[in-house]
Amino acid sequence: MRSVVNEMRACYESRVLATQPDLEGRLVSSFLIAPDGTVEEVSFHEDAIGSAPLRECISSVLRGLRFDAPDGGGYVGVNYPWVFSVQD
């Protein structure tokens, strides 16, 4: 997930700060890693931000990720929290 931190920051800055400069909060993404390592079924919960454009951007970034195939095949569910805040 470290590899996409800058992309997530760009999602936040371009989609949210441009229209709501004081918006901050926590957003938990949930996604499914398929047997081939691709990401499927991105969703969100614990959305303290409530920004559809931010969710759309993050979903796009997550769907572009490629992981190693899970050991033993099958699917792997992931919940990952993102915390966005305005820095001075």
Side-chain angles (χ1 to χ4, degrees), residues 18-35:
T19 58
Q20 295 175 286
D22 60 344
L23 195 60
E24 298 181 322
R26 177 183 164 107
L27 175 65
V28 178
S29 58
S30 298
F31 57 94
L32 201 57
I33 301 172

Side-chain angles (χ1 to χ4, degrees), residues 3-37:
S3 67
V4 295
V5 167
N6 288 335
E7 289 177 81
M8 296 302 180
R9 183 177 295 123
C11 284
Y12 178 65
E13 290 174 354
S14 68
R15 301 290 202 287
V16 177
L17 290 180
T19 58
Q20 295 175 286
D22 60 344
L23 195 60
E24 298 181 322
R26 177 183 164 107
L27 175 65
V28 178
S29 58
S30 298
F31 57 94
L32 201 57
I33 301 172
D36 65 357

Side-chain angles (χ1 to χ4, degrees), residues 11-79:
C11 284
Y12 178 65
E13 290 174 354
S14 68
R15 301 290 202 287
V16 177
L17 290 180
T19 58
Q20 295 175 286
D22 60 344
L23 195 60
E24 298 181 322
R26 177 183 164 107
L27 175 65
V28 178
S29 58
S30 298
F31 57 94
L32 201 57
I33 301 172
D36 65 357
T38 59
V39 173
E40 296 181 2
E41 296 184 29
V42 176
S43 63
F44 300 92
H45 57 95
E46 294 184 39
D47 184 358
I49 295 178
S51 170
L54 179 60
R55 288 190 306 271
E56 290 169 15
C57 186
I58 289 175
S59 180
S60 176
V61 172
L62 291 174
R63 287 184 186 277
L65 291 176
R66 180 106 182 168
F67 294 89
D68 292 336
D71 289 340
Y75 288 83
V76 174
V78 178
N79 292 319

